[in-house]
């Protein structure tokens, strides 16, 4: 007997199907007990305490939603994809189950304030997600209780190693359930209009060819719209300098903690939830204990630490005294700015930060693999890469210039001194 | 005493200001008696009987709105522009009045089913609007009753001859009240998501420099969004082949009426509302008598005419037996198709039509004048044309390829014969 | 062999299913050829030329939609109802087909400007719909071509005589597809917020008990919301005095035409589309020829008639010089007002109209039959009428007072004289 | 010289006015430096770490917004009220400033998870708000820096003791900026349709009579709509049993902490942020230190406490093992249920909770004072209480029955034992 082939979703259906009200998808439907159990697992519930947008809600104040609701949304988009005629027929029930689980769980490995956290603690959220699925966790136990190989099959979708490329494309590719949910959700929650696009039409034009998801030519303009929605959301929302300022401040705090710890500084704060990360020897359960409540608690405690840099940065963070910023013209200027900061008593390693945001609208992930290409199916059955069929996308790709934005961030107190740059 | 300088809007304010509920702008505010009287004029009320979207509502069924509500909308956008700090200060009360009137009245010269009608009867709606304002009409009388020069000043905005370029830009330029309203309205009414853009932000970034409206650099992405909204609305909605099919059928009917009339055919239908147009000797009042109700009535009558072509085309129109269409590859093919139609008994002058839709997203109007350029004001006070500041717009302009779409339209009955092309 | 029992919807499915973009339901899905053919029939296409809201768009300017798009919407709501688990199981494929057709066709018997028209010409739109389905028409031919009894079965749903009460409830009851679509659509198009309610939730709580549609108790508040949406739409939108003024003016015109015709007046206007109605001897095809374009054409012609009352009323109508109105306190006042009008030269039969709008929110249709009651299924499986389960609905029913509004309508010219009442 | 009389808002206007993007109000406008400084104060920033909806987001998952964005929204509604003609004229610039501050600050005294927290620690958020404004705080310093009496004047609006009743009505009455923002926001964020109402229309019908805000009769239906929106939001959202279950669990945890503390239990957790509350001797600054991050951190720590009840309840809370619930029929049943719980090892003081939700839609606050009444101004200038002018509100008030809902909450583990009740 072959579990994967014989498996029928019908067999694990809930007697009374559940629905969750959602501002983006109206209702999120839960038809299977295993999905309900995963939603209620410790690892998923933890995502309620991690904000989706990191620092962005410092600018777009109403965008306070968590990674938890986004994860529900990704699951729901996967579920809608599975309802399309082409995917209904192309996938086995077992594959459908795997991809629903992968959509739901794809973000469980995110740390609190994830980007800054990852940067300093050298943790990678995709690896962490995979560990949480494969190692000891409630999520793992729930998956295993249905079928021993299920954790591995779900994880391989997230790792891009699953043999069925369709499943990988659904969860992470240029046009996947993850991005579709976050563009719609972040746009709705922030009250901007940039992220709207016509998801229904995109789903309606999905087809399967050569074991991959492709799109009918009649969907090209909806896809162009999606790509531009993404481009504008990045520049208007995600890369907003105030949001970056907030991320840099976070990163400086984490960095200071790390440096102090390695220098043997004695913390008044009981750091026990952070120590496994600092020591680089942590179990899944240590990681699950970390959420934004813990980190915010620590920041409050840090305001009482005797190390001035740590207490000052933490207090700036909690009371929203973010770094100011201005355009940075050269590395020479950066050196000069650091010198001024030093002279004014601000340690440049923590108080002067620069970044250079650059985004290529179409190839955001920077993947080189074949799945990164959106392929278009024309009326004669031929496949072409999207830029061949879209003047807009092609024009963008062939442009010599790409939008980039180099900025330096610094304490408000030295703003006047830096006005000469 | 100088009327224009001394004029105060306050002096003609309504005691009880009026509001009109509107699906797009929530409320349209009418503060001045003259605006209320213009809205209730015969020429404006006639626009209730002319659809905004010509044939488009044959595809986007719920987009049945009239030029009347669009005109109210344009007036409201002008009014919102006047509320911005920069325009409040830059314009005299008299200029403000002129531009509100121009926004409201800019479309009164449209005929029924305007594009097809204009094509056949060689009437131009902008000229007609100007005539209606300057010659004998209720609208003219209302304007004159306030000030003798008012009709001329309003008309000169529509004619692009007014000395104050700001007023012209507000009503017709690359980024004007007309386009802003129609993109939002057509998108809302058709239920598509393509036409959304962030009007509030665009208005907030308006500034006056060198006697022109320019936009702060922080508005560039909202403007990019607007330009792409326009691009997508054109291709998804306005240039939809079924909408074009409907326009071509209309045009064939008008053409047949004209040809029969000049050939001395004796119509059973009492054509008296059309005769002034056919004779090219019409008064403003003759034109005002024409609306879509009259034309639809004639079409119903035409189904009883003994001329087979006229009765057949009219019946196809009323019962939505539109022409079918396919890609057209060459002029040689077109000749061959016409020959087949002829052989099958369909007069090719009326039953075979081809068109080639081509749109350049940025320079849609095809103006070459300076006002056609959207100018961007950077933080150092310099002005640059939009493409210098927008990678997206620049990429599109530098692209060699533009989207174009050449199609041939024909009666359903000969579809099979044409499948070889 | 039994057609009804053996019939499978699958057998008439379109190879390529069609979708129609819609502002309310996003997409309207057409899966079966017969539905597509009905949509494209002459009788359905005629509804494009009849506005849904009669005079209401004189107040809510952007609500210009037609009965055609509403009919598509009703069909779509029926289709969604059929997708609920309870109805999927409860109905045969043949019944499903019948009710989809009935939803789509339920309004084809409406005349132009229906309420005023019906009032004067003593035509009833439900009877007319039934005649159009049963007698000679394109719609009839399309239905018969599938199965000879189909017209009768569809008509009996509209006539409330079909043996399966569920089908009747779906199309016309206190909570039916017709009302659900029109509340949502009229609200969206008019830009008011009053008509919103949670249709998804109502559909999700539908159950079948004793051969009827009932609703789970968890749906009570969504239903309360729907009933109050209806109540508010009636008072804010449908019964708006300006809309009533417009209807009264229409009715006076129709009445004047009728009176003149019976008096032997010789019309300059060629009345041939109206004569069958005036003579009370019309075929279905005569009725199908009548639409708002014809009537508006006649009104324009009437402005040239020598009968002053007819030409004056028609001109008021076309140029929106609607009747003014005020509260009417007694029948005695009405007599006095009529006398004043007469003295001023306004024939009171046509120029003075009064009405008394009264609406009972719950029992709007005024049906006494059992289907008029919304029944609620509690967790113990018992059924109760809605007012037993809804404090709001119960409170309203037990209230002694109901909102009513008695008004008199008159020409603007005698407004001052009537200010004493 | 008299500060209050001479004060002009113009004098404190920002050179560059600021706007904050918001999902509900599109933009929140900040025109004055003092408002900007208040927004960036420690006490306001703390509200970012306190959720608006307590436990409700356990059911309506996407409603994760904070009291901070709600406070910005209330300020914006106050600002819009001040723009209405009647309030522009009725209030001095100083009063306008006071009421904007009061709207912004009205919620700063809320504790983390406020209702449960208040219940156990006997703190009242309105008193606390007043203390924070009057005693030592950043907010206090900012207010005083403009004018010494400003804190007192702002506080007196919140305390309902300000001599100008209009200001009190704007911030807290049956129809105030607070409720308007929260209904719109909670509805948008939760994705329900219940909370929509027509705020623009309500504001447009505001008038001042006898030193109070009243509403024109033409606004009655918009107000009915608002009252019913409130009624439905309470029952569908705020009083949802799962949300109550979450609140009860919270309350049990707080109660257990309190009981253990007074019993001399030695906590492993460093409780220092809670001790001032437990001791009932806290400064404003102690209170400001408390937010949901701290409490969630403590809960995580509590899961490691040796007191089983505390660690068990905390773990249930963090991992969303909420109490189950069922209808409670009598106090006798409650006693029996407690006995069963006790027998099963669940301490009934913490594990068995019952509540009885009861809501009177119109008089929700339960105020008896004159300001609790919404007054309607008819066309003859007379004032009547809303129920005299609204059949719906009157019907509800005269109804004998009010919706109430008595439930008992208990651990899932004893669900089967309780099925007999």
């Amino acid at each position: 007997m072959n579990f994967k082939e014989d498996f029928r979703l019908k067999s694990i259906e809930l007697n009374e199907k559940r629905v969750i009200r959602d501002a983006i998808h109206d209702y999120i439907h839960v038809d299977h007990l295993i999905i309900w159990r995963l939603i209620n697992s410790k690892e998923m519930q933890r995502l309620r305490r991690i904000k989706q947008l990191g620092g962005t809600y410092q600018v777009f104040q109403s965008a306070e939603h968590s990674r938890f609701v986004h994860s529900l949304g990704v699951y729901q988009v996967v579920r809608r994809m599975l309802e399309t005629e082409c995917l209904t027929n192309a996938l086995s029930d077992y594959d459908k189950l795997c991809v629903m689980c992968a959509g739901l769980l794809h973000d469980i490995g995110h740390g609190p304030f994830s980007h800054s956290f990852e940067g300093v603690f050298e943790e990678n959220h995709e690896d962490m997600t995979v560990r949480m699925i494969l190692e000891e966790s409630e999520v793992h136990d729930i998956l295993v209780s249905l079928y021993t190989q299920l954790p591995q099959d779900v994880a391989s979708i997230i790792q891009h190693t699953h043999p069925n490329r369709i499943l990988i494309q659904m969860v992470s590719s240029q046009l996947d359930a993850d991005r579709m949910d976050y563009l719609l959700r972040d746009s709705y929650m922030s009250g901007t209009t940039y992220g709207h696009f016509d998801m229904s039409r995109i789903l309606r034009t999905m087809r399967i060819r050569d074991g991959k998801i492709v799109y009918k030519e009649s969907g090209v303009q909806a896809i162009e719209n999606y790509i531009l929605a993404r481009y504008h959301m990045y520049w208007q929302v995600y890369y907003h300098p105030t949001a970056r300022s907030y991320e840099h401040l976070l990163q400086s705090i984490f960095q200071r903690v790390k440096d102090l710890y390695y220098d043997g500084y004695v913390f008044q704060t009981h750091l026990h939830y952070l120590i496994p990360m600092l020591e680089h020897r942590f179990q899944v359960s240590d990681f699950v204990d970390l959420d934004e409540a813990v980190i915010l608690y620590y920041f409050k405690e840090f305001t009482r630490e005797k190390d001035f840099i740590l207490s000052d940065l933490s207090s700036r963070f909690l009371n929203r005294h973010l770094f100011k910023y201005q355009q940075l013209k050269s590395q020479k200027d950066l050196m000069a700015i650091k010198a001024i900061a030093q002279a004014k008593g601000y340690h440049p390693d923590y108080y002067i930060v620069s970044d250079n945001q650059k985004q290529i609208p179409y190839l955001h992930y920077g993947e080189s693999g074949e799945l990164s290409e959106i392929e278009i199916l024309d009326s004669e059955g031929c496949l072409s890469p999207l830029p061949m069929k879209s003047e807009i996308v092609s024009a963008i790709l062939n442009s010599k210039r790409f939008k980039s934005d180099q900025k330096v961030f610094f304490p408000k107190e030295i703003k006047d001194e830096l006005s000469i740059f």
Side-chain angles (χ1 to χ4, degrees), chain A:
Chain A
M1 195 197 102
N2 184 322
F3 182 86
K4 293 189 187 186
E5 278 174 29
D6 297 342
F7 175 74
R8 290 293 167 272
L9 278 168
K10 201 83 197 163
S11 70
I12 57 165
E13 240 173 42
L14 285 163
N15 284 336
E16 184 126 14
K17 292 174 188 179
R18 287 166 178 277
V19 291
I20 296 169
R21 194 65 148 154
D22 179 61
I24 306 310
H25 305 293
D26 203 3
Y27 288 109
I28 290 169
H29 296 261
V30 180
D31 309 319
H32 307 101
L33 180 60
I34 189 170
I35 298 293
W36 188 246
R37 291 183 63 204
L38 288 173
I39 289 173
N40 287 311
S41 69
K42 191 173 192 163
E43 294 81 16
M44 278 296 296
Q45 290 297 316
R46 167 184 170 272
L47 293 185
R48 284 182 183 270
R49 297 184 293 274
I50 296 184
K51 284 208 161 52
Q52 171 72 6
L53 283 186
T56 303
Y57 83 101
Q58 294 285 335
V59 202
F60 294 89
Q61 323 272 344
S62 52
E64 304 182 303
H65 51 297
S66 71
R67 292 197 181 274
F68 177 73
V69 289
H70 164 61
S71 298
L72 295 181
V74 174
Y75 155 78
Q76 172 65 16
V77 178
V78 166
R79 208 180 150 282
R80 279 194 60 186
M81 287 175 168
L82 292 175
E83 281 173 351
T84 60
E85 208 175 306
C86 72
L87 286 180
T88 298
N89 299 329
L91 300 177
S92 72
D93 270 24
Y94 181 74
D95 280 351
K96 287 175 188 170
L97 176 68
C98 290
V99 75
M100 285 191 287
C101 294
L104 183 64
L105 300 175
H106 80 291
D107 262 356
I108 53 172
H110 269 287
F113 306 109
S114 39
H115 299 295
S116 336
F117 189 87
E118 287 193 9
V120 175
F121 295 103
E122 294 154 46
E123 180 261 331
N124 171 291
H125 70 267
E126 286 195 8
D127 295 347
M128 200 60 224
T129 296
V130 168
R131 278 188 62 186
M132 287 168 82
I133 292 171
L134 297 180
E135 298 180 15
E136 211 170 317
S137 71
E138 281 189 28
V139 154
H140 177 81
D141 293 349
I142 293 164
L143 294 172
V144 153
S145 72
L146 187 73
Y147 178 50
T148 47
Q149 269 180 263
L150 188 52
Q152 184 52 61
D153 289 327
V154 172
S156 70
I157 295 173
I158 290 162
Q159 290 172 297
H160 293 207
T161 57
H162 194 286
N164 189 339
R165 292 185 300 175
I166 293 170
L167 308 183
I168 299 172
Q169 279 181 295
M170 290 171 72
V171 175
S172 77
S173 64
Q174 283 287 335
L175 189 50
D176 60 20
D178 182 16
R179 280 173 177 72
M180 290 199 202
D181 183 77
Y182 79 62
L183 287 179
L184 294 175
R185 187 172 303 276
D186 297 349
S187 167
Y188 182 92
M189 287 294 167
S190 61
T192 59
T193 54
Y194 305 109
H196 289 307
F197 63 93
D198 189 347
M199 184 169 84
S200 299
R201 190 177 175 93
I202 291 178
L203 297 188
R204 275 174 38 77
T205 61
M206 258 185 182
R207 292 294 179 276
I208 301 297
R209 283 296 177 282
D210 309 341
K212 289 174 302 190
I213 296 173
V214 300
Y215 296 88
K216 279 178 66 182
E217 194 160 5
S218 59
V220 165
Q221 297 191 338
I223 296 173
E224 285 179 349
N225 222 23
Y226 156 86
I227 283 172
L228 285 149
R230 210 164 84 187
Y231 175 78
H232 281 117
M233 280 300 280
Y234 271 89
W235 283 107
Q236 287 294 321
V237 178
Y238 307 138
Y239 291 169
H240 192 288
T242 304
R244 283 146 62 190
S245 167
Y246 177 94
E247 295 288 348
H248 291 313
L249 186 47
L250 268 170
Q251 205 154 350
S252 288
I253 299 174
F254 289 135
Q255 191 60 50
R256 185 65 184 170
V257 170
K258 193 173 165 186
D259 293 347
L260 288 173
Y261 184 81
Y262 289 134
D263 286 357
Y265 171 83
V266 182
F267 286 83
Q268 284 182 279
T269 310
H270 296 260
L271 279 185
H272 63 264
Y273 293 111
L274 265 183
I275 286 170
M277 305 303 295
L278 289 162
E279 300 277 346
H280 269 294
R281 284 180 321 179
F282 58 91
Q283 307 298 314
V284 163
S285 64
D286 296 323
F287 188 81
V288 172
D289 266 339
L290 281 168
D291 57 28
E292 291 178 8
V294 168
I295 299 296
L296 287 170
Y297 178 86
Y298 282 159
F299 288 179
K300 192 184 298 282
E301 292 287 280
F302 292 161
T303 62
R304 290 173 171 80
E305 285 286 348
K306 59 188 179 303
D307 177 67
F308 174 76
I309 294 176
L310 184 57
S311 78
D312 177 58
L313 292 173
S314 299
S315 162
R316 285 174 191 262
F317 180 88
L318 289 175
N319 302 319
R320 200 175 180 267
H321 300 154
L322 304 183
F323 289 157
K324 296 288 159 187
Y325 52 84
Q326 60 192 32
Q327 290 308 117
L328 179 64
K329 287 169 202 138
S330 69
Q331 288 304 304
K332 224 182 88 197
D333 281 5
L334 182 59
M335 301 304 286
I337 288 166
K338 286 189 173 184
I340 290 171
Q342 182 94 51
K344 287 278 169 184
Y346 295 100
H347 195 313
D349 289 1
Y350 306 107
Y351 285 92
I352 302 296
V353 201
S354 75
D355 69 9
N356 186 6
Q357 288 298 354
K358 192 175 274 193
Q359 196 226 12
I360 304 170
Y362 180 54
L363 296 165
H364 177 58
Y365 272 0
E367 300 109 322
S368 49
E370 62 182 306
L371 289 179
S372 68
E373 190 61 271
I374 297 171
E375 289 181 89
I376 303 302
L377 178 69
D378 67 23
S379 55
E380 278 147 35
C382 300
L383 288 180
S384 337
L386 175 61
M388 295 283 290
K389 291 294 187 180
S390 161
E391 284 70 17
I392 297 264
V393 173
S394 160
I396 291 166
L397 284 180
N398 292 323
S399 165
K400 286 289 169 302
R401 300 181 304 155
F402 286 111
K403 174 117 183 125
S404 83
D405 179 35
Q406 182 145 21
K407 285 205 157 48
V408 61
F409 299 82
F410 49 83
K412 189 186 184 178
E413 292 83 351
I414 60 168
K415 191 171 176 38
D416 290 345
E417 283 81 357
L418 302 191
S419 62
I420 54 169
F421 294 98

